[in-house]
C-alpha cells in the first residue's frame, strides 16, 4: 500500500491505484468528444489485465511478443509536431531528442526519474476565464468572419484540474519506456520506489506510470505508488513553500501587451461588440490547446489563430516561467534546492542534508526515503520542475544578454523553450553510471542528465559527452548544498 503523509510525523495508508484517469466532472454526451482517447486508455487497461493474467487462467510469457503496443512519439491530435511545440507548457509530451545509450564502457547502475503529471483539464480559475472569453464571443449577434460561426451552436463543457485520457496514456507509456530502458537494474525484490505530490492528477499519473512499468515486465515486477506527500506541508515535489517568490506576471504581461493586441483587434473586428481583452485572447489560445487534447482532434478555437500568433503565445509561457520559477525569478532557484539535496543523497548513499523544503521525518526513515534502491520515480508539477532545473544549473541562457529572456523581444538563440522543458508528462532522468576507463572517460562513477531524452551538457561540472564524474557533480551543486545561500529564508522574511 502507498503511504500518504499527513504531517511531519503521521503516516496513514493510501489506496493503490490501477491504471486510470481522473474526470470528476464527466457529463452525458462527452463520450463522443473523447472516444479516441478513451480507446487508448481502455487498450492500456486491457493489456494490463491480459499481461497480468486477470483475463487468463494461466499467464504465459513470450519473449517474442511485447507486453504493450509501441509508444507514439508524437500524439495523433491532428496537428504536426511543429504546431504542438508552440503550446508551451500545455504541449503534450514529445521527446526533445532521440535517446542515446551511454558511451561504450559505461553501464547504468542507478536511475532517478522526475516526471510532470500528464495532460489535464484547465485549472479551475483558468477554465472560468476561458468560459468568460467564449461567452463574450457568443453574445455577439452577427459575426463578420466564417471562422466564428461554429460558436452559434457550440457548448463549452470543461472539467477542471484532473488528468485527461491522453495524460493517462502518456504516463502509462512513460512507465513502459522506463522498464524497457532500465530493465537490468530492477528485480522483483528491488522494484522502483515511487513518490507523488498529492494533487489527484499527479497521483494518477504516478499510478499510470506504475501500471505501464508493471505491464512491460509482464507483471514480474509490481510497481506501485509508495508515498503520497501532501502539498500543504514540507514537500520537494511542489512549489508551495515560498510565499515571497515572484510569479513572472510582470514580465509576461509586457510580452502579452505586445503580441496580443493585434490578435484582439482582429477578433473584435470579426465579432463586433465582443470587447475581448488581451487576457481573453490569451485564454482563447490556451483553450485551443486544452480542448484539442480533450477531443484528440483540432479544436475549432485553434482556427481563430495563425501559426505565427502561436509562436507569440509560446514565448509568453517561456517568459512567465523564466521569471517565476526560473533564473529570472527572485526566489525561483531556491524552490528546487530540497529536491536536489534528496537527489545528492540518493546518488551518494548518504543521509539527506537540507534545511529547506524537505520533510525531515520522511527523509530520515528508510521506509519513506530508502537509499538502497536502483530506480526512483518522483511525480511533480511543471513549476517545481523548472525550479529544480534552475537549482541544478540546467538551461542557463549563456547566449542571451545578461543570460536573461527579454520580456519584449524574443531571441532565436534561446534554449529556454517550455515545450522542450516541461510539456505535459515531461521527465528529467538522472543516470548514475560505472565506467571502465575506455576513452574519453576515465575509470570511475559518473552522472548523466536527460531532459525529455535530450542529453544535457553539464558544463558546470566539466561534462564530457554529457557525463560528469560523480564527485564533480556533487561539488557543482554548492547552491543546493548550502541551502540556497540564504535565499530560502527570504521566502518568509
Amino acid at each position: 500500500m502507498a503511504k500518504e503523509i499527513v504531517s511531519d510525523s503521521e503516516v496513514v495508508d493510501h489506496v493503490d491505484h490501477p491504471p486510470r484517469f481522473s474526470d470528476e466532472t464527466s457529463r452525458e454526451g462527452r463520450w463522443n468528444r473523447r472516444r479516441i482517447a478513451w480507446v487508448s486508455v481502455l487498450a492500456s487497461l486491457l493489456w494490463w489485465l491480459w499481461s497480468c493474467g486477470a483475463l487468463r487462467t494461466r499467464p504465459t510469457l513470450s519473449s517474442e511478443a511485447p507486453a504493450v503496443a509501441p509508444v507514439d512519439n508524437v500524439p495523433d491530435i491532428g496537428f504536426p509536431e511543429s504546431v504542438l511545440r508552440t503550446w508551451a507548457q500545455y504541449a503534450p509530451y514529445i521527446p526533445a531528442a532521440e535517446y542515446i545509450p551511454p558511451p561504450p564502457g559505461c553501464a547504468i547502475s542507478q536511475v532517478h526519474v522526475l516526471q510532470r503529471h500528464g495532460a489535464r483539464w484547465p485549472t479551475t480559475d483558468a477554465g472560468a476565464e476561458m468560459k468568460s472569453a467564449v461567452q463574450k464571443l457568443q453574445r455577439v449577434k452577427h459575426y463578420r468572419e466564417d471562422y466564428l460561426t461554429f460558436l452559434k451552436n457550440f457548448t463549452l463543457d470543461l472539467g477542471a484540474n484532473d488528468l485527461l485520457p491522453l495524460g493517462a496514456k502518456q504516463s502509462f507509456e512513460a512507465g513502459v519506456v522506463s522498464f524497457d530502458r532500465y530493465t537490468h537494474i530492477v528485480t522483483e525484490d528491488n522494484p522502483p520506489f515511487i513518490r507523488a505530490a498529492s494533487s489527484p492528477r499527479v497521483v494518477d499519473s504516478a499510478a499510470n506510470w506504475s501500471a505501464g512499468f508493471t505491464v512491460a515486465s509482464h507483471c514480474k515486477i509490481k510497481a506501485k505508488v509508495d508515498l503520497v506527500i501532501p502539498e500543504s506541508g514540507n514537500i520537494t515535489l511542489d512549489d508551495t513553500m515560498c510565499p515571497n517568490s515572484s510569479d513572472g506576471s510582470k514580465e509576461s504581461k509586457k510580452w502579452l501587451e505586445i503580441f496580443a493586441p493585434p490578435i484582439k483587434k482582429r477578433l473584435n473586428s470579426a465579432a463586433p461588440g465582443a470587447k475581448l481583452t488581451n487576457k481573453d485572447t490569451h485564454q482563447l489560445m490556451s483553450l485551443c490547446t486544452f480542448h484539442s487534447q480533450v477531443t484528440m482532434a483540432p479544436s475549432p478555437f485553434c482556427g481563430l489563430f495563425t501559426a505565427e500568433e502561436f509562436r507569440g503565445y509560446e514565448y509568453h509561457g517561456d517568459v512567465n516561467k523564466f521569471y517565476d520559477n526560473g533564473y529570472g525569478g527572485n526566489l525561483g532557484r531556491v524552490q528546487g534546492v530540497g529536491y536536489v539535496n534528496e537527489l545528492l543523497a540518493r546518488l551518494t548513499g548518504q543521509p539527506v542534508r537540507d534545511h529547506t523544503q524537505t520533510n525531515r521525518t520522511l527523509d530520515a526513515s528508510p521506509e519513506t526515503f530508502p537509499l538502497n534502491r536502483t530506480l526512483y520515480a518522483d511525480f511533480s508539477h511543471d513549476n517545481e520542475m523548472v525550479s529544480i532545473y534552475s537549482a541544478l544549473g540546467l538551461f542557463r541562457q549563456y547566449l542571451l544578454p545578461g543570460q536573461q529572456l527579454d520580456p519584449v523581444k524574443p531571441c532565436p538563440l534561446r534554449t529556454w523553450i517550455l515545450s522542450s522543458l516541461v510539456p505535459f508528462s515531461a521527465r528529467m532522468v538522472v543516470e548514475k553510471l560505472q565506467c571502465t576507463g575506455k576513452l574519453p572517460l576515465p575509470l570511475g562513477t559518473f552522472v548523466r542528465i536527460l531532459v525529455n531524452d535530450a542529453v544535457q551538457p553539464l558544463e558546470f561540472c566539466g561534462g564530457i559527452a554529457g557525463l560528469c564524474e560523480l564527485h564533480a557533480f556533487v561539488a557543482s551543486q554548492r547552491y543546493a548544498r548550502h541551502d540556497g545561500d540564504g535565499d530560502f529564508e527570504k521566502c518568509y522574511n
Side-chain angles (χ1 to χ4, degrees):
M1 303 288 284
K3 305 279 187 186
E4 180 172 6
I5 306 306
V6 295
S7 72
D8 211 39
S9 59
E10 184 178 359
V11 180
V12 297
D13 284 337
H14 182 86
V15 177
D16 292 330
H17 294 268
R20 66 186 178 92
F21 67 94
S22 299
D23 182 13
E24 297 177 356
T25 56
S26 293
R27 296 182 178 90
E28 185 177 359
R30 188 171 290 161
W31 165 255
N32 287 334
R33 303 204 327 263
R34 298 190 342 206
R35 60 189 180 277
I36 297 175
W38 268 90
V39 168
S40 298
V41 175
L42 181 59
S44 296
L45 178 59
L46 289 174
W47 269 114
W48 179 77
L49 292 169
W50 179 265
S51 299
C52 295
L55 298 181
R56 294 178 290 164
T57 304
R58 295 181 60 190
T60 59
L61 300 181
S62 170
S63 60
E64 298 178 357
V68 290
V71 173
D72 294 326
N73 282 337
V74 180
D76 185 9
I77 304 177
F79 291 107
E81 178 180 340
S82 60
V83 171
L84 297 177
R85 288 194 180 278
T86 63
W87 291 1
Q89 70 269 33
Y90 302 139
Y93 179 75
I94 302 171
E98 184 177 352
Y99 178 79
I100 300 174
C106 295
I108 297 170
S109 59
Q110 190 183 63
V111 169
H112 309 261
V113 177
L114 175 67
Q115 183 160 321
R116 185 189 179 191
H117 60 76
R120 57 164 171 80
W121 292 97
T123 60
T124 301
D125 290 345
E129 292 173 353
M130 292 175 194
K131 289 180 181 178
S132 174
V134 171
Q135 287 168 355
K136 287 183 180 182
L137 288 172
Q138 289 185 316
R139 283 196 290 266
V140 173
K141 293 183 179 180
H142 301 289
Y143 300 118
R144 293 176 176 171
E145 298 289 347
D146 290 342
Y147 60 73
L148 292 172
T149 56
F150 78 93
L151 288 162
K152 294 179 179 179
N153 300 305
F154 181 83
T155 300
L156 181 62
D157 190 12
L158 287 176
N161 302 312
D162 291 324
L163 201 64
L164 291 174
L166 175 61
K169 179 177 182 288
Q170 291 200 310
S171 300
F172 183 95
E173 290 174 343
V176 174
V177 169
S178 289
F179 175 81
D180 289 346
R181 196 170 287 172
Y182 304 116
T183 306
H184 63 286
I185 64 169
V186 293
T187 65
E188 295 179 40
D189 297 326
N190 182 30
F193 186 81
I194 302 169
R195 303 186 303 175
S198 62
S199 291
R201 62 182 178 271
V202 180
V203 178
D204 292 339
S205 296
N208 279 284
W209 186 96
S210 304
F213 196 96
T214 299
V215 168
S217 76
H218 293 279
C219 294
K220 294 174 67 176
I221 297 175
K222 305 298 194 298
K224 63 181 179 63
V225 182
D226 296 285
L227 186 65
V228 176
I229 308 176
E231 296 172 10
S232 57
N234 280 38
I235 183 171
T236 59
L237 300 179
D238 195 17
D239 67 334
T240 56
M241 295 184 63
C242 194
N244 290 340
S245 64
S246 58
D247 63 2
S249 59
K250 176 182 176 182
E251 291 79 12
S252 58
K253 185 179 180 182
K254 291 180 181 179
W255 177 244
L256 181 69
E257 291 175 347
I258 292 174
F259 99 90
I263 310 173
K264 176 187 67 176
K265 181 179 179 180
R266 174 174 58 78
L267 291 176
N268 281 329
S269 176
K275 298 181 179 180
L276 295 173
T277 65
N278 290 338
K279 191 171 185 179
D280 290 331
T281 301
H282 181 266
Q283 291 294 13
L284 288 169
M285 299 181 84
S286 294
L287 181 55
C288 155
T289 74
F290 282 102
H291 192 231
S292 296
Q293 291 177 81
V294 169
T295 63
M296 292 301 292
S299 168
F301 289 99
C302 299
L304 275 58
F305 310 100
T306 67
E308 181 61 31
E309 288 167 346
F310 260 104
R311 282 188 278 274
Y313 173 87
E314 172 189 40
Y315 192 61
H316 180 272
D318 296 345
V319 168
N320 181 264
K321 290 288 188 266
F322 186 85
Y323 287 98
D324 182 357
N325 290 74
Y327 293 105
N330 64 330
L331 296 169
R333 293 183 69 203
V334 74
Q335 296 179 75
V337 161
Y339 181 87
V340 174
N341 284 328
E342 289 182 332
L343 173 65
L344 296 178
R346 288 168 166 176
L347 284 168
T348 60
Q350 300 297 317
V352 177
R353 297 178 62 184
D354 179 81
H355 298 89
T356 63
Q357 298 93 354
T358 53
N359 183 313
R360 285 175 281 284
T361 300
L362 296 183
D363 285 3
S365 169
E367 181 182 359
T368 50
F369 197 83
L371 293 172
N372 60 347
R373 297 296 184 92
T374 50
L375 200 162
Y376 299 89
D378 293 319
F379 291 81
S380 182
H381 298 270
D382 55 340
N383 285 347
E384 180 59 26
M385 290 181 68
V386 168
S387 287
I388 291 167
Y389 294 163
S390 302
L392 285 166
L394 302 176
F395 301 108
R396 285 195 178 275
Q397 299 303 289
Y398 295 112
L399 299 179
L400 305 188
Q403 299 184 25
Q404 302 285 304
L405 266 65
D406 187 336
V408 300
K409 186 178 181 181
C411 178
L413 297 177
R414 79 184 190 279
T415 58
W416 189 276
I417 300 172
L418 290 188
S419 61
S420 295
L421 272 66
V422 285
F424 287 127
S425 295
R427 71 263 342 218
M428 178 184 78
V429 178
V430 180
E431 298 173 340
K432 182 179 178 180
L433 307 100
Q434 308 301 323
C435 297
T436 60
K438 188 171 183 177
L439 292 177
L441 298 168
L443 176 70
T445 302
F446 289 79
V447 170
R448 185 170 80 150
I449 298 179
L450 303 97
V451 175
N452 303 319
D453 282 353
V455 176
Q456 301 305 301
L458 304 189
E459 73 288 343
F460 49 80
C461 54
I464 301 173
L467 278 75
C468 276
E469 292 189 83
L470 176 59
H471 69 84
F473 176 76
V474 172
S476 74
Q477 299 304 306
R478 182 191 180 282
Y479 182 73
R481 291 187 296 109
H482 287 77
D483 295 323
D485 287 336
D487 284 346
F488 187 65
E489 287 72 23
K490 298 176 185 176
C491 286
Y492 298 95
N493 299 327

